[in-house]
Amino acid sequence: MSKPDRTIPGGLVWAAMAFVLLVTAATFWNVGSFDFIMFDDPQYVHDNPQVSRGISWPGLVWAFTQSHASNWHPLTWISHMLDVEVFGMNPGAHHWVNLAFHMLNSVLLFGVLLTMTCAVGRSALVAALFAVHPLHVESVAWISERKDVLSALFFMLTLWAYSSYSKQKSGRAYLLVIFFLALGLMSKPMLVTLPFVLLLLDFWPLQRIRIDHWRSRQWLALLIEKIPLFILVALSSVITYIVQRESGAVVELEAASAGLRLSNAVVSYGAYVAAMWWPADLAILYSFPASVAAWKVVTAALFLALITTLAGLGMRRYPFVPVGWFWFLGTLVPVIGLVRVGAQSMADRYTYIPLIGLFIIVAWGGYELLGRRAARRAPLWALSVLIIVLLAFASRTQIEHWKNAETLWIRSLAVTQNNYRVHGMYGKLLTERGQKADAVEQFRAAIRIKPNIAQIHTLLAQALADLGQPAQAIVHYQQSLALRPDLAYTYTGYGNALAAEGKLDEALAQHQKSMELKADNPLAHNGMGLVLDEMGRSDEAIGHYRRAIELDPGFAAAHNNLAAAYAAAGNLEQAVSAIEIALKIQKDNTDYMYNLAVLLSQQGDLPSARQILRSALEIDPQFDAARQALQILAGAGVGEEEAQ
């Protein structure tokens, strides 16, 4: 294989960089108008108390010492904190930061390949494919995937530092390699395969080892050189496995046999390659299969074996093929499913770095096939630009499905089958919107597909309870606890449903179990307070309401219930203070307004009670209880016109 021309026209380099940046911005700019989605975004950003207050010393300590969201990635947490510090909770700004990282990664990829190969056009093509491919939409358009774009930044910087080290053998450059790798691992542990990527680059394009030196000590020297890097990735791997296993993210090996996990891995490799060429029907979640058809496994295995054999046979003449192929295979190993993390079989976001290997094969292979002759280069680059434009349009279409949670779940249901997780997530969204009956249908659909998921039974039970069907709710709470007797919040909901059925002693026992499992559960304390109130034990109820508020000062319902308990005990002044706090938390809650008006009228402050009821009716003109209260106040001489 001939070496590329080492004379690099500066104008061409700048033009290539501009093209990569412009096509990336044009493809993804709409993300600035997108919302947070109800999947990981709450625990990563807006419902995370450590992140939502921006940069703080306790938050920085937490980022390095805790393993929230089943991961240890302190730099990712700090990145989100910085977003909140600068932009607040404006989701568009958070999206734009993701886009900025992606644009920077694309340009750095171009620069790294150019530095190593001096091939402007091919490097630009790889960068452009990386920038606009639809499989990368998930990493850019999902705020919670900041870890993807951030870790990729340090991946690119590690490659840049290593390229410099390979030419200069500078200790400073090697320290930069270690430094950037460490930062990358603290952003996302998937970078554990990076030292192996560096070994591939030693072969091509850095040419630090030749094929005819296969058995020489040079390979051993290159391995020894990377020992500090292997130590880093070993530490990261141990930390990640411990964190994810303790958090329950690592699925027990018995849950899926070794054969099933291996079969899924083989088929997933083939599916990723197919999706690179034809990126259609992409979804946020692909459920792990209960079984994999034998023909799929055999076909995928034969395909992988064929490509691997061809890569080996062409190693001498086309070294970019084995480098790109093993880059793809190797960087996917941590997430290919041999050790299951979560319930997905594969994920688009996992391809963010691995696809670079395949893009290298496409770019350099296309040049070898069509571009060696000058007369063919113009058509080749015209074809390349056409492919980039088509992929950009496909990505723009895919991006629109990430506009908000509803568009995302609807799209995922449309392009996947038997996806119980998506049914469950869509049901949660409908529940939050108050569409409880529709949510019940989604939860039932999820249970028909996968009847042994305790959390979905709990969600269905909660929706049924909210619809005033506690008896049906109790059935699903019991099924949930039969599957997972360690779910504290399920006991809380079960206790509430039992209380609604008048089974107060049983309800009290369930709330007690919930608190035994999770002592700092404000919902359990609030539920126990409600039961104790029903049993006439208001003093004990007040203690539990206070504890619920200590654990969650923003728990408006607990403040409201505390107000009712104070009122029952004859402490009207304390009751008014409690309900006023509830209204500060939920300013437009008409039920709380009504309760405050009743308390104020009991204190004799009838004008204030009248004004609050009028405000409640402005918010909800159909609030009959408030209208009737105004009529009663009118009868007391407050003014009949207010009751009209």
Side-chain angles (χ1 to χ4, degrees):
M1 175 185 173
S2 61
K3 294 182 181 180
D5 184 3
R6 298 289 168 179
T7 303
I8 306 175
L12 184 60
V13 172
W14 285 108
M17 289 177 60
F19 174 75
V20 171
L21 287 172
L22 287 173
V23 75
T24 310
T27 302
F28 288 94
W29 194 252
N30 283 356
V31 297
S33 63
F34 291 1
D35 203 350
F36 293 109
I37 66 165
M38 192 193 67
F39 186 44
D40 282 1
D41 284 356
Q43 63 174 324
Y44 269 82
V45 187
H46 57 81
D47 287 351
N48 186 321
Q50 300 294 341
V51 173
S52 61
R53 63 186 176 189
I55 294 292
S56 66
W57 179 249
L60 294 175
V61 172
W62 172 85
F64 280 94
T65 58
Q66 300 300 315
S67 55
H68 189 65
S70 305
N71 277 299
W72 185 78
H73 42 36
L75 292 190
T76 295
W77 292 125
I78 294 170
S79 172
H80 286 302
M81 291 174 190
L82 277 170
D83 277 6
V84 175
E85 186 73 24
V86 177
F87 306 114
M89 286 297 173
N90 175 6
H94 292 248
H95 280 294
W96 271 327
V97 173
N98 266 25
L99 174 55
F101 276 119
H102 182 57
M103 293 173 70
L104 182 56
N105 291 338
S106 302
V107 171
L108 281 173
L109 176 58
F110 167 69
V112 166
L113 290 175
L114 179 62
T115 300
M116 291 183 178
T117 67
C118 297
V120 179
R122 280 159 281 179
S123 300
L125 178 56
V126 172
L129 289 169
F130 172 83
V132 303
H133 200 282
L135 282 176
H136 290 171
V137 165
E138 185 172 297
S139 296
V140 182
W142 190 1
I143 290 173
S144 294
E145 283 309 305
R146 172 66 52 79
K147 53 185 175 286
D148 256 9
V149 292
L150 184 62
S151 63
L153 171 65
F154 295 118
F155 181 93
M156 304 302 176
L157 290 173
T158 303
L159 298 189
W160 167 78
Y162 188 73
S163 176
S164 176
Y165 165 76
S166 70
K167 296 172 184 177
Q168 303 171 6
K169 298 297 186 293
S170 161
R172 180 181 178 183
Y174 191 78
L175 288 176
L176 281 177
V177 172
I178 296 174
F179 176 67
F180 287 135
L181 174 59
L183 294 181
L185 293 170
M186 287 191 286
S187 302
K188 186 177 183 178
M190 188 174 168
L191 264 60
V192 292
T193 58
L194 205 160
F196 299 98
V197 172
L198 299 182
L199 282 170
L200 291 173
L201 296 177
D202 284 334
F203 173 59
W204 182 90
L206 296 177
Q207 297 181 357
R208 300 182 68 198
I209 185 69
R210 297 200 312 271
I211 189 66
D212 52 349
H213 288 178
W214 187 263
R215 298 180 182 277
S216 75
R217 294 182 180 179
Q218 284 181 287
W219 281 107
L220 181 59
L222 292 174
L223 284 169
I224 293 173
E225 170 188 82
K226 294 173 181 60
I227 286 177
L229 309 182
F230 286 120
I231 291 173
L232 271 180
V233 301
L235 289 172
S236 177
S237 299
V238 171
I239 292 171
T240 300
Y241 185 80
I242 291 173
V243 165
Q244 294 187 334
R245 188 175 184 86
E246 288 181 351
S247 67
V250 175
V251 180
E252 293 294 336
L253 297 183
E254 312 88 66
S257 67
L260 178 57
R261 283 181 278 118
L262 181 59
S263 297
N264 178 72
V266 170
V267 172
S268 293
Y269 270 122
Y272 284 131
V273 175
M276 186 204 76
W277 290 105
W278 191 255
D281 294 342
L282 304 181
I284 186 174
L285 287 170
Y286 306 98
S287 294
F288 198 90
S291 63
V292 182
W295 70 266
K296 289 184 178 181
V297 180
V298 172
T299 302
L302 289 174
F303 169 75
L304 296 176
L306 175 63
I307 301 300
T308 302
T309 301
L310 292 175
L313 292 174
M315 184 180 297
R316 191 180 300 273
R317 185 172 180 184
Y318 305 112
F320 57 84
V321 176
V323 168
W325 182 243
F326 289 114
W327 176 315
F328 167 72
L329 294 179
T331 53
L332 270 173
V333 166
V335 290
I336 201 60
L338 296 175
V339 175
R340 284 182 60 197
V341 180
Q344 68 279 352
S345 61
M346 54 188 291
D348 298 350
R349 60 189 177 274
Y350 293 161
T351 69
Y352 193 65
I353 287 173
L355 278 190
I356 295 172
L358 298 185
F359 295 153
I360 287 172
I361 296 175
V362 169
W364 264 263
Y367 178 84
E368 288 295 317
L369 291 173
L370 302 172
R372 294 298 295 269
R373 294 183 182 180
R376 295 180 180 177
R377 289 179 188 170
L380 174 61
W381 292 121
L383 176 62
S384 299
V385 171
L386 177 61
I387 291 172
I388 295 301
V389 170
L390 291 175
L391 287 173
F393 274 108
S395 287
R396 282 185 64 84
T397 301
Q398 178 65 18
I399 288 166
E400 290 302 310
H401 301 310
W402 285 83
K403 187 177 297 182
N404 54 53
E406 184 172 21
T407 58
L408 185 62
W409 300 131
I410 290 174
R411 174 61 178 175
S412 296
L413 286 174
V415 298
T416 61
Q417 295 180 345
N418 298 324
N419 201 329
Y420 72 94
R421 294 186 71 200
V422 174
H423 281 292
M425 295 305 299
Y426 190 28
K428 286 181 68 177
L429 174 64
L430 293 170
T431 298
E432 289 191 352
R433 291 184 172 181
Q435 298 171 246
K436 303 296 174 63
D438 293 332
V440 165
E441 292 305 311
Q442 293 298 322
F443 295 138
R444 289 194 188 280
I447 289 172
R448 283 194 294 271
I449 297 166
K450 195 83 168 178
N452 61 343
I453 305 299
Q455 293 87 337
I456 295 180
H457 281 285
T458 295
L459 290 169
L460 174 57
Q462 290 170 345
L464 290 168
D466 291 340
L467 287 170
Q469 302 174 35
Q472 291 188 45
I474 286 171
V475 172
H476 286 282
Y477 279 127
Q478 291 172 338
Q479 290 179 357
S480 177
L481 291 170
L483 292 165
R484 285 283 303 275
D486 60 338
L487 296 176
Y489 290 104
T490 301
Y491 285 105
T492 301
Y494 187 22
N496 292 336
L498 288 168
E501 288 285 275
K503 302 176 181 180
L504 300 183
D505 289 332
E506 293 179 53
L508 210 61
Q510 300 309 317
H511 288 306
Q512 187 62 49
K513 287 181 182 178
S514 179
M515 287 187 288
E516 288 172 3
L517 288 169
K518 187 173 176 61
D520 58 349
N521 180 359
L523 294 174
H525 283 284
N526 182 66
M528 183 164 279
L530 289 170
V531 174
L532 291 169
D533 259 337
E534 285 288 319
M535 299 174 79
R537 296 156 62 179
S538 296
D539 289 342
E540 294 177 68
I542 287 171
H544 283 285
Y545 292 140
R546 283 175 171 171
R547 179 57 180 154
I549 291 167
E550 286 177 14
L551 294 168
D552 183 2
F555 194 171
H559 287 284
N560 177 64
N561 295 334
L562 178 60
Y566 278 140
N571 299 322
L572 294 183
E573 187 174 341
Q574 289 179 297
V576 168
S577 297
I579 196 64
E580 285 177 341
I581 294 174
L583 270 169
K584 287 180 181 178
I585 298 168
Q586 295 184 7
K587 296 181 176 60
D588 295 333
N589 190 308
T590 53
D591 289 331
Y592 297 168
M593 290 180 178
Y594 176 82
N595 293 342
L596 177 57
V598 170
L599 290 172
L600 291 172
S601 66
Q602 290 175 351
Q603 284 187 319
D605 189 354
L606 301 183
S608 296
R610 175 191 62 187
Q611 185 58 44
I612 290 169
L613 290 170
R614 288 178 61 193
S615 298
L617 285 168
E618 287 176 5
I619 296 171
D620 181 8
Q622 306 303 317
F623 194 176
D624 292 336
R627 192 172 300 281
Q628 291 170 6
L630 273 175
Q631 291 173 347
I632 293 172
L633 291 178
V638 174
E640 293 186 11
E641 73 281 4
E642 305 295 349
Q644 299 305 314

